[in-house]
Amino acid sequence: MKKFLKIVGWILLALFNAFSVWGALFLFQKGFYELSVTFFVLIVLIDYFIFNRKSYPFRYMIPAMILLFILVLYPIIFTIKTAFTNYGTGHIMTRQEVVDRLLTDPVYTYVPKDAKEYKYEVFVRFDGIEPTEDFKLLVITQNGEEYVMGDIKSVRMQAGQMLLGEADLEDVSTYDLIREDGKIIAIIEDGKTYNYFYSPEDPDTALNEVFFKSKIGFPILSKVEIIDLEGNRLSMRFSDDGTLRLKSIRHLYRLSLAEVIEKGKNVIKTVLVNDITNKPLLEENGTFYDFDESGEKVPIMGYISYVGSTNFVKIFTDPTISGPFTKIFLWNFTYAALSVLFTFAIGLSFALVLNNSALKGRSVYRTLLIIPWAIPAFISVLIWRNGFFNETYGIINKFIVNGILNKESIQWMTNPFWAKVAVLVVNTWLGFPYMMTVSLGALQSIPDELYEAASIDGASRYQSFWKITFPLLMTTVAPLLVGSFAFNFNNFVNIYLLTGGGPAIPNTSTPAGATDILISYTYKLAFEAGRGQDFGFASAISILIFFIVAGISFVNFRISGSFEEVNR
């Protein structure tokens, strides 16, 4: 039995290695080089731990190691790589993908002056009396010759959808036909009958035009290039009367050799050339540019390219970015520091009160005071936003500011100062129960003998607090305070749900808000920027956040060590 299980284990390991190597090679071929290398390193380490007897204990770490590599190390590597690129809206694809698209995409085609126009008739298969999308296309040349469009072959796919297809014309004699008065009324293939349905030349079929355009013309035929016997490429194009016509087309761009200047030298290289103007496209900063009639360059399509330290440099040199970034950076520190200060001060105050054994009903008070921590944060934030801080019918404005004080409503969400106040109030409400719980636990660990000795020596309550309670309390709480600072420094949820980072900071080219912190600002840049997504710039800011949080962690260790000396 043991030998059988051992054989099964080796077979499973061999299958795992084979599948992993295939997956790594597949990722490498698709251009995911970092993830591919991560897979290869992971495979080598796993095999080493299994085959090497000395590394036997590490076998139990394999599941954790897989998660570490895939969910931690690879995202870090990918973020660092992205920070040095222009990856974002308009620069999503690689250069090769952009070139392929410019050469093959039906969007980049045109109808030449000497274009041929062929007549066509559409035949569809019916399900009862309802037409289906299963069709045959009869093409009639200018000489009256009849051909049937063959099967469509996909040339370019994206996300499972066909971007470009090709089809050849086949002799009509290879199909079974039903004619009436010399006109084809049905095409039969493999036992399927396709009945005459639509032709732009036949007014009797005008009622079927909508179905043809919506189900066949636009979703299918507009992406197909039909190749005739002479090698001409035919495609559906709109005519002046609004109908789709079958015309010969040419691709707007082609590859050609041209003399260009690179680093001050004339070199011969393969470039994209406009087939109409015979001018090569300009390639600059990860973007292909064409030229209009006046000679002005027009952006066509961009690709992911290496931009060096540009994303980092513009954080500090571009006034429209550095100004808002500095404000956000300073507010981020202020927000995190004040959040820790307020939550700790209120939490410690409640803890000191609840730690008094003479207080009756302490368990009830503890339960009530811990409720804000027990309720999910997003629910509390939305209640505060809509119930308290709503400028029109919120409780604070309607009943207190307008009703009792008879003042104008406070602009909680549109005034930068009051928006920051609202953020701090909500964060304090959500955070003080945690600080109260931590402080209460730390207070109960302080020996009563110390207070008795201090009382005998004549120390007041004030002196006992600052000489005994606070130093011993900080031994436990100080690292948690620094950890709380790091948490609030990246506390995305509260900011995003309460104010969305707003109100907006004026005179900036990025979506920066007065209550934005760095992490919410990064999120906006990556996913909500009005001028498009900018993953490269967002990744650069993420790296800065990483170093800031790393610095906070370093301070955490230093502070932890300094307060541990109190007990020595």
Side-chain angles (χ1 to χ4, degrees), residues 332 335-336 339 377 381 423 426-428 430-431 484-497 515-520:
N332 202 158
Y335 166 73
S339 294
V381 172
V423 167
V426 174
N427 213 36
T428 302
L430 295 174
S484 178
F485 181 88
F487 170 78
N488 285 295
F489 197 85
N490 287 323
N491 194 351
F492 169 81
V493 174
N494 290 359
I495 296 290
Y496 188 77
L497 291 180
T515 58
D516 264 323
I517 57 177
L518 290 176
I519 191 65
S520 65

PDB file of all heavy atoms in Angstrom, residues 332 335-336 339 377 381 423 426-428 430-431 484-497 515-520:
ATOM      1  N   ASN A 332      -2.106  63.684   4.596  1.00  0.00           N
ATOM      2  CA  ASN A 332      -2.054  62.261   4.926  1.00  0.00           C
ATOM      3  C   ASN A 332      -1.406  62.053   6.298  1.00  0.00           C
ATOM      4  O   ASN A 332      -1.904  61.313   7.151  1.00  0.00           O
ATOM      5  CB  ASN A 332      -1.281  61.514   3.850  1.00  0.00           C
ATOM      6  CG  ASN A 332      -1.602  60.026   3.801  1.00  0.00           C
ATOM      7  OD1 ASN A 332      -1.408  59.356   2.803  1.00  0.00           O
ATOM      8  ND2 ASN A 332      -2.115  59.487   4.895  1.00  0.00           N
ATOM      9  N   TYR A 335      -3.730  63.630   8.981  1.00  0.00           N
ATOM     10  CA  TYR A 335      -4.903  62.773   9.176  1.00  0.00           C
ATOM     11  C   TYR A 335      -4.556  61.556  10.035  1.00  0.00           C
ATOM     12  O   TYR A 335      -5.272  61.228  10.991  1.00  0.00           O
ATOM     13  CB  TYR A 335      -5.429  62.349   7.809  1.00  0.00           C
ATOM     14  CG  TYR A 335      -6.413  61.211   7.824  1.00  0.00           C
ATOM     15  CD1 TYR A 335      -7.709  61.378   8.284  1.00  0.00           C
ATOM     16  CD2 TYR A 335      -6.031  59.951   7.355  1.00  0.00           C
ATOM     17  CE1 TYR A 335      -8.608  60.326   8.286  1.00  0.00           C
ATOM     18  CE2 TYR A 335      -6.922  58.892   7.355  1.00  0.00           C
ATOM     19  CZ  TYR A 335      -8.196  59.085   7.816  1.00  0.00           C
ATOM     20  OH  TYR A 335      -9.083  58.041   7.815  1.00  0.00           O
ATOM     21  N   ALA A 336      -3.446  60.894   9.709  1.00  0.00           N
ATOM     22  CA  ALA A 336      -3.054  59.693  10.451  1.00  0.00           C
ATOM     23  C   ALA A 336      -2.669  60.047  11.890  1.00  0.00           C
ATOM     24  O   ALA A 336      -3.062  59.359  12.841  1.00  0.00           O
ATOM     25  CB  ALA A 336      -1.896  59.000   9.742  1.00  0.00           C
ATOM     26  N   SER A 339      -5.768  61.194  13.903  1.00  0.00           N
ATOM     27  CA  SER A 339      -6.637  60.031  14.141  1.00  0.00           C
ATOM     28  C   SER A 339      -6.123  59.215  15.315  1.00  0.00           C
ATOM     29  O   SER A 339      -6.885  58.806  16.206  1.00  0.00           O
ATOM     30  CB  SER A 339      -6.726  59.168  12.889  1.00  0.00           C
ATOM     31  OG  SER A 339      -7.379  59.840  11.835  1.00  0.00           O
ATOM     32  N   ALA A 377     -17.338  48.834   9.337  1.00  0.00           N
ATOM     33  CA  ALA A 377     -16.962  50.236   9.143  1.00  0.00           C
ATOM     34  C   ALA A 377     -17.753  50.891   8.013  1.00  0.00           C
ATOM     35  O   ALA A 377     -18.172  52.047   8.123  1.00  0.00           O
ATOM     36  CB  ALA A 377     -15.465  50.341   8.887  1.00  0.00           C
ATOM     37  N   VAL A 381     -19.805  54.413   8.226  1.00  0.00           N
ATOM     38  CA  VAL A 381     -19.395  55.554   7.405  1.00  0.00           C
ATOM     39  C   VAL A 381     -20.579  56.076   6.591  1.00  0.00           C
ATOM     40  O   VAL A 381     -20.810  57.293   6.503  1.00  0.00           O
ATOM     41  CB  VAL A 381     -18.228  55.168   6.477  1.00  0.00           C
ATOM     42  CG1 VAL A 381     -17.931  56.295   5.490  1.00  0.00           C
ATOM     43  CG2 VAL A 381     -16.980  54.867   7.299  1.00  0.00           C
ATOM     44  N   VAL A 423     -14.126  63.851   8.250  1.00  0.00           N
ATOM     45  CA  VAL A 423     -13.317  62.636   8.136  1.00  0.00           C
ATOM     46  C   VAL A 423     -12.708  62.262   9.480  1.00  0.00           C
ATOM     47  O   VAL A 423     -12.722  61.090   9.883  1.00  0.00           O
ATOM     48  CB  VAL A 423     -12.220  62.847   7.070  1.00  0.00           C
ATOM     49  CG1 VAL A 423     -11.180  61.748   7.155  1.00  0.00           C
ATOM     50  CG2 VAL A 423     -12.830  62.872   5.675  1.00  0.00           C
ATOM     51  N   VAL A 426     -15.443  60.928  12.019  1.00  0.00           N
ATOM     52  CA  VAL A 426     -15.859  59.546  11.731  1.00  0.00           C
ATOM     53  C   VAL A 426     -14.741  58.568  12.077  1.00  0.00           C
ATOM     54  O   VAL A 426     -14.990  57.502  12.671  1.00  0.00           O
ATOM     55  CB  VAL A 426     -16.264  59.406  10.248  1.00  0.00           C
ATOM     56  CG1 VAL A 426     -16.543  57.955   9.914  1.00  0.00           C
ATOM     57  CG2 VAL A 426     -17.492  60.254   9.963  1.00  0.00           C
ATOM     58  N   ASN A 427     -13.517  58.910  11.742  1.00  0.00           N
ATOM     59  CA  ASN A 427     -12.409  57.997  12.032  1.00  0.00           C
ATOM     60  C   ASN A 427     -12.191  57.855  13.534  1.00  0.00           C
ATOM     61  O   ASN A 427     -11.845  56.775  14.022  1.00  0.00           O
ATOM     62  CB  ASN A 427     -11.131  58.498  11.359  1.00  0.00           C
ATOM     63  CG  ASN A 427     -10.242  57.358  10.932  1.00  0.00           C
ATOM     64  OD1 ASN A 427     -10.715  56.299  10.508  1.00  0.00           O
ATOM     65  ND2 ASN A 427      -8.949  57.555  11.025  1.00  0.00           N
ATOM     66  N   THR A 428     -12.405  58.946  14.284  1.00  0.00           N
ATOM     67  CA  THR A 428     -12.297  58.870  15.742  1.00  0.00           C
ATOM     68  C   THR A 428     -13.393  57.985  16.324  1.00  0.00           C
ATOM     69  O   THR A 428     -13.156  57.167  17.225  1.00  0.00           O
ATOM     70  CB  THR A 428     -12.381  60.283  16.350  1.00  0.00           C
ATOM     71  OG1 THR A 428     -11.328  61.090  15.804  1.00  0.00           O
ATOM     72  CG2 THR A 428     -12.243  60.230  17.861  1.00  0.00           C
ATOM     73  N   LEU A 430     -14.869  55.491  14.885  1.00  0.00           N
ATOM     74  CA  LEU A 430     -14.606  54.089  14.563  1.00  0.00           C
ATOM     75  C   LEU A 430     -13.391  53.536  15.299  1.00  0.00           C
ATOM     76  O   LEU A 430     -13.301  52.325  15.522  1.00  0.00           O
ATOM     77  CB  LEU A 430     -14.385  53.939  13.044  1.00  0.00           C
ATOM     78  CG  LEU A 430     -15.579  54.250  12.142  1.00  0.00           C
ATOM     79  CD1 LEU A 430     -15.166  54.198  10.684  1.00  0.00           C
ATOM     80  CD2 LEU A 430     -16.710  53.273  12.399  1.00  0.00           C
ATOM     81  N   GLY A 431     -12.453  54.424  15.706  1.00  0.00           N
ATOM     82  CA  GLY A 431     -11.191  53.944  16.258  1.00  0.00           C
ATOM     83  C   GLY A 431     -11.077  53.938  17.760  1.00  0.00           C
ATOM     84  O   GLY A 431     -10.281  53.166  18.310  1.00  0.00           O
ATOM     85  N   SER A 484      -1.193  51.661  14.439  1.00  0.00           N
ATOM     86  CA  SER A 484      -2.430  52.370  14.117  1.00  0.00           C
ATOM     87  C   SER A 484      -2.153  53.534  13.180  1.00  0.00           C
ATOM     88  O   SER A 484      -2.959  53.819  12.282  1.00  0.00           O
ATOM     89  CB  SER A 484      -3.076  52.882  15.409  1.00  0.00           C
ATOM     90  OG  SER A 484      -4.238  53.614  15.132  1.00  0.00           O
ATOM     91  N   PHE A 485      -1.014  54.206  13.370  1.00  0.00           N
ATOM     92  CA  PHE A 485      -0.633  55.295  12.461  1.00  0.00           C
ATOM     93  C   PHE A 485      -0.451  54.762  11.046  1.00  0.00           C
ATOM     94  O   PHE A 485      -0.936  55.361  10.065  1.00  0.00           O
ATOM     95  CB  PHE A 485       0.659  55.952  12.947  1.00  0.00           C
ATOM     96  CG  PHE A 485       1.124  57.094  12.083  1.00  0.00           C
ATOM     97  CD1 PHE A 485       0.683  58.378  12.314  1.00  0.00           C
ATOM     98  CD2 PHE A 485       1.997  56.877  11.027  1.00  0.00           C
ATOM     99  CE1 PHE A 485       1.107  59.435  11.522  1.00  0.00           C
ATOM    100  CE2 PHE A 485       2.420  57.917  10.221  1.00  0.00           C
ATOM    101  CZ  PHE A 485       1.975  59.199  10.471  1.00  0.00           C
ATOM    102  N   ALA A 486       0.233  53.619  10.921  1.00  0.00           N
ATOM    103  CA  ALA A 486       0.437  53.012   9.603  1.00  0.00           C
ATOM    104  C   ALA A 486      -0.889  52.596   8.984  1.00  0.00           C
ATOM    105  O   ALA A 486      -1.104  52.758   7.777  1.00  0.00           O
ATOM    106  CB  ALA A 486       1.377  51.815   9.717  1.00  0.00           C
ATOM    107  N   PHE A 487      -1.804  52.075   9.813  1.00  0.00           N
ATOM    108  CA  PHE A 487      -3.116  51.671   9.311  1.00  0.00           C
ATOM    109  C   PHE A 487      -3.899  52.877   8.796  1.00  0.00           C
ATOM    110  O   PHE A 487      -4.461  52.855   7.696  1.00  0.00           O
ATOM    111  CB  PHE A 487      -3.901  50.963  10.418  1.00  0.00           C
ATOM    112  CG  PHE A 487      -5.346  50.730  10.080  1.00  0.00           C
ATOM    113  CD1 PHE A 487      -5.716  49.700   9.244  1.00  0.00           C
ATOM    114  CD2 PHE A 487      -6.347  51.562  10.596  1.00  0.00           C
ATOM    115  CE1 PHE A 487      -7.057  49.481   8.913  1.00  0.00           C
ATOM    116  CE2 PHE A 487      -7.669  51.358  10.283  1.00  0.00           C
ATOM    117  CZ  PHE A 487      -8.028  50.317   9.439  1.00  0.00           C
ATOM    118  N   ASN A 488      -3.936  53.950   9.596  1.00  0.00           N
ATOM    119  CA  ASN A 488      -4.676  55.141   9.179  1.00  0.00           C
ATOM    120  C   ASN A 488      -4.007  55.847   8.008  1.00  0.00           C
ATOM    121  O   ASN A 488      -4.674  56.534   7.237  1.00  0.00           O
ATOM    122  CB  ASN A 488      -4.813  56.111  10.358  1.00  0.00           C
ATOM    123  CG  ASN A 488      -5.850  55.653  11.364  1.00  0.00           C
ATOM    124  OD1 ASN A 488      -7.025  55.584  11.072  1.00  0.00           O
ATOM    125  ND2 ASN A 488      -5.395  55.310  12.562  1.00  0.00           N
ATOM    126  N   PHE A 489      -2.719  55.681   7.872  1.00  0.00           N
ATOM    127  CA  PHE A 489      -2.006  56.279   6.744  1.00  0.00           C
ATOM    128  C   PHE A 489      -2.519  55.699   5.430  1.00  0.00           C
ATOM    129  O   PHE A 489      -2.516  56.372   4.399  1.00  0.00           O
ATOM    130  CB  PHE A 489      -0.502  56.012   6.881  1.00  0.00           C
ATOM    131  CG  PHE A 489       0.347  56.895   6.023  1.00  0.00           C
ATOM    132  CD1 PHE A 489       0.734  58.151   6.459  1.00  0.00           C
ATOM    133  CD2 PHE A 489       0.761  56.466   4.772  1.00  0.00           C
ATOM    134  CE1 PHE A 489       1.512  58.964   5.655  1.00  0.00           C
ATOM    135  CE2 PHE A 489       1.540  57.277   3.967  1.00  0.00           C
ATOM    136  CZ  PHE A 489       1.923  58.534   4.415  1.00  0.00           C
ATOM    137  N   ASN A 490      -2.963  54.452   5.452  1.00  0.00           N
ATOM    138  CA  ASN A 490      -3.496  53.793   4.254  1.00  0.00           C
ATOM    139  C   ASN A 490      -4.972  53.431   4.415  1.00  0.00           C
ATOM    140  O   ASN A 490      -5.446  52.484   3.780  1.00  0.00           O
ATOM    141  CB  ASN A 490      -2.693  52.525   3.942  1.00  0.00           C
ATOM    142  CG  ASN A 490      -1.323  52.831   3.396  1.00  0.00           C
ATOM    143  OD1 ASN A 490      -1.153  53.776   2.642  1.00  0.00           O
ATOM    144  ND2 ASN A 490      -0.334  52.052   3.800  1.00  0.00           N
ATOM    145  N   ASN A 491      -5.704  54.186   5.232  1.00  0.00           N
ATOM    146  CA  ASN A 491      -7.108  53.867   5.509  1.00  0.00           C
ATOM    147  C   ASN A 491      -7.983  54.357   4.352  1.00  0.00           C
ATOM    148  O   ASN A 491      -8.629  55.416   4.430  1.00  0.00           O
ATOM    149  CB  ASN A 491      -7.541  54.502   6.825  1.00  0.00           C
ATOM    150  CG  ASN A 491      -8.846  53.938   7.328  1.00  0.00           C
ATOM    151  OD1 ASN A 491      -9.525  53.191   6.620  1.00  0.00           O
ATOM    152  ND2 ASN A 491      -9.215  54.296   8.541  1.00  0.00           N
ATOM    153  N   PHE A 492      -8.036  53.567   3.303  1.00  0.00           N
ATOM    154  CA  PHE A 492      -8.709  53.950   2.066  1.00  0.00           C
ATOM    155  C   PHE A 492     -10.237  53.976   2.206  1.00  0.00           C
ATOM    156  O   PHE A 492     -10.900  54.879   1.711  1.00  0.00           O
ATOM    157  CB  PHE A 492      -8.299  52.984   0.957  1.00  0.00           C
ATOM    158  CG  PHE A 492      -9.103  53.102  -0.304  1.00  0.00           C
ATOM    159  CD1 PHE A 492      -8.825  54.091  -1.230  1.00  0.00           C
ATOM    160  CD2 PHE A 492     -10.147  52.224  -0.571  1.00  0.00           C
ATOM    161  CE1 PHE A 492      -9.564  54.215  -2.388  1.00  0.00           C
ATOM    162  CE2 PHE A 492     -10.885  52.325  -1.733  1.00  0.00           C
ATOM    163  CZ  PHE A 492     -10.590  53.335  -2.640  1.00  0.00           C
ATOM    164  N   VAL A 493     -10.785  52.994   2.903  1.00  0.00           N
ATOM    165  CA  VAL A 493     -12.240  52.792   2.916  1.00  0.00           C
ATOM    166  C   VAL A 493     -12.973  54.002   3.477  1.00  0.00           C
ATOM    167  O   VAL A 493     -13.941  54.492   2.881  1.00  0.00           O
ATOM    168  CB  VAL A 493     -12.598  51.527   3.713  1.00  0.00           C
ATOM    169  CG1 VAL A 493     -14.111  51.386   3.846  1.00  0.00           C
ATOM    170  CG2 VAL A 493     -12.017  50.298   3.034  1.00  0.00           C
ATOM    171  N   ASN A 494     -12.521  54.509   4.638  1.00  0.00           N
ATOM    172  CA  ASN A 494     -13.235  55.624   5.272  1.00  0.00           C
ATOM    173  C   ASN A 494     -13.242  56.864   4.386  1.00  0.00           C
ATOM    174  O   ASN A 494     -14.263  57.542   4.242  1.00  0.00           O
ATOM    175  CB  ASN A 494     -12.591  55.946   6.622  1.00  0.00           C
ATOM    176  CG  ASN A 494     -12.840  54.859   7.648  1.00  0.00           C
ATOM    177  OD1 ASN A 494     -13.505  53.869   7.358  1.00  0.00           O
ATOM    178  ND2 ASN A 494     -12.297  55.025   8.843  1.00  0.00           N
ATOM    179  N   ILE A 495     -12.084  57.182   3.793  1.00  0.00           N
ATOM    180  CA  ILE A 495     -11.983  58.362   2.934  1.00  0.00           C
ATOM    181  C   ILE A 495     -12.873  58.189   1.702  1.00  0.00           C
ATOM    182  O   ILE A 495     -13.638  59.086   1.332  1.00  0.00           O
ATOM    183  CB  ILE A 495     -10.527  58.606   2.505  1.00  0.00           C
ATOM    184  CG1 ILE A 495      -9.654  58.926   3.714  1.00  0.00           C
ATOM    185  CG2 ILE A 495     -10.437  59.707   1.450  1.00  0.00           C
ATOM    186  CD1 ILE A 495      -9.910  60.263   4.333  1.00  0.00           C
ATOM    187  N   TYR A 496     -12.783  57.054   1.076  1.00  0.00           N
ATOM    188  CA  TYR A 496     -13.486  56.839  -0.193  1.00  0.00           C
ATOM    189  C   TYR A 496     -15.003  56.841   0.005  1.00  0.00           C
ATOM    190  O   TYR A 496     -15.738  57.433  -0.795  1.00  0.00           O
ATOM    191  CB  TYR A 496     -13.040  55.529  -0.818  1.00  0.00           C
ATOM    192  CG  TYR A 496     -13.567  55.316  -2.214  1.00  0.00           C
ATOM    193  CD1 TYR A 496     -13.003  55.970  -3.301  1.00  0.00           C
ATOM    194  CD2 TYR A 496     -14.633  54.455  -2.450  1.00  0.00           C
ATOM    195  CE1 TYR A 496     -13.486  55.789  -4.583  1.00  0.00           C
ATOM    196  CE2 TYR A 496     -15.128  54.264  -3.723  1.00  0.00           C
ATOM    197  CZ  TYR A 496     -14.549  54.928  -4.786  1.00  0.00           C
ATOM    198  OH  TYR A 496     -15.033  54.749  -6.060  1.00  0.00           O
ATOM    199  N   LEU A 497     -15.484  56.203   1.066  1.00  0.00           N
ATOM    200  CA  LEU A 497     -16.925  56.113   1.277  1.00  0.00           C
ATOM    201  C   LEU A 497     -17.519  57.408   1.815  1.00  0.00           C
ATOM    202  O   LEU A 497     -18.668  57.738   1.521  1.00  0.00           O
ATOM    203  CB  LEU A 497     -17.247  54.968   2.234  1.00  0.00           C
ATOM    204  CG  LEU A 497     -17.012  53.551   1.721  1.00  0.00           C
ATOM    205  CD1 LEU A 497     -17.374  52.540   2.788  1.00  0.00           C
ATOM    206  CD2 LEU A 497     -17.819  53.283   0.459  1.00  0.00           C
ATOM    207  N   THR A 515      -9.503  65.978   0.779  1.00  0.00           N
ATOM    208  CA  THR A 515      -9.429  64.947   1.823  1.00  0.00           C
ATOM    209  C   THR A 515      -8.778  63.663   1.319  1.00  0.00           C
ATOM    210  O   THR A 515      -8.770  62.662   2.030  1.00  0.00           O
ATOM    211  CB  THR A 515     -10.836  64.619   2.361  1.00  0.00           C
ATOM    212  OG1 THR A 515     -11.668  64.190   1.278  1.00  0.00           O
ATOM    213  CG2 THR A 515     -11.455  65.829   3.028  1.00  0.00           C
ATOM    214  N   ASP A 516      -8.262  63.688   0.111  1.00  0.00           N
ATOM    215  CA  ASP A 516      -7.563  62.513  -0.413  1.00  0.00           C
ATOM    216  C   ASP A 516      -6.321  62.223   0.415  1.00  0.00           C
ATOM    217  O   ASP A 516      -5.598  63.142   0.822  1.00  0.00           O
ATOM    218  CB  ASP A 516      -7.148  62.733  -1.868  1.00  0.00           C
ATOM    219  CG  ASP A 516      -8.141  62.162  -2.860  1.00  0.00           C
ATOM    220  OD1 ASP A 516      -8.690  61.084  -2.569  1.00  0.00           O
ATOM    221  OD2 ASP A 516      -8.369  62.794  -3.908  1.00  0.00           O
ATOM    222  N   ILE A 517      -6.073  60.968   0.673  1.00  0.00           N
ATOM    223  CA  ILE A 517      -4.780  60.539   1.176  1.00  0.00           C
ATOM    224  C   ILE A 517      -4.066  59.837   0.020  1.00  0.00           C
ATOM    225  O   ILE A 517      -4.649  59.637  -1.043  1.00  0.00           O
ATOM    226  CB  ILE A 517      -4.924  59.601   2.401  1.00  0.00           C
ATOM    227  CG1 ILE A 517      -5.778  58.378   2.061  1.00  0.00           C
ATOM    228  CG2 ILE A 517      -5.500  60.367   3.577  1.00  0.00           C
ATOM    229  CD1 ILE A 517      -5.897  57.393   3.215  1.00  0.00           C
ATOM    230  N   LEU A 518      -2.820  59.500   0.203  1.00  0.00           N
ATOM    231  CA  LEU A 518      -2.030  58.999  -0.919  1.00  0.00           C
ATOM    232  C   LEU A 518      -2.648  57.757  -1.551  1.00  0.00           C
ATOM    233  O   LEU A 518      -2.641  57.612  -2.768  1.00  0.00           O
ATOM    234  CB  LEU A 518      -0.597  58.694  -0.458  1.00  0.00           C
ATOM    235  CG  LEU A 518       0.257  59.911  -0.105  1.00  0.00           C
ATOM    236  CD1 LEU A 518       1.615  59.471   0.429  1.00  0.00           C
ATOM    237  CD2 LEU A 518       0.439  60.816  -1.320  1.00  0.00           C
ATOM    238  N   ILE A 519      -3.208  56.867  -0.728  1.00  0.00           N
ATOM    239  CA  ILE A 519      -3.732  55.626  -1.279  1.00  0.00           C
ATOM    240  C   ILE A 519      -5.002  55.878  -2.080  1.00  0.00           C
ATOM    241  O   ILE A 519      -5.224  55.260  -3.129  1.00  0.00           O
ATOM    242  CB  ILE A 519      -3.980  54.591  -0.150  1.00  0.00           C
ATOM    243  CG1 ILE A 519      -4.266  53.206  -0.745  1.00  0.00           C
ATOM    244  CG2 ILE A 519      -5.078  55.043   0.771  1.00  0.00           C
ATOM    245  CD1 ILE A 519      -3.094  52.619  -1.479  1.00  0.00           C
ATOM    246  N   SER A 520      -5.866  56.797  -1.639  1.00  0.00           N
ATOM    247  CA  SER A 520      -7.074  57.108  -2.406  1.00  0.00           C
ATOM    248  C   SER A 520      -6.714  57.887  -3.668  1.00  0.00           C
ATOM    249  O   SER A 520      -7.359  57.730  -4.712  1.00  0.00           O
ATOM    250  CB  SER A 520      -8.067  57.897  -1.554  1.00  0.00           C
ATOM    251  OG  SER A 520      -7.552  59.173  -1.207  1.00  0.00           O
TER     252      SER A 520
END
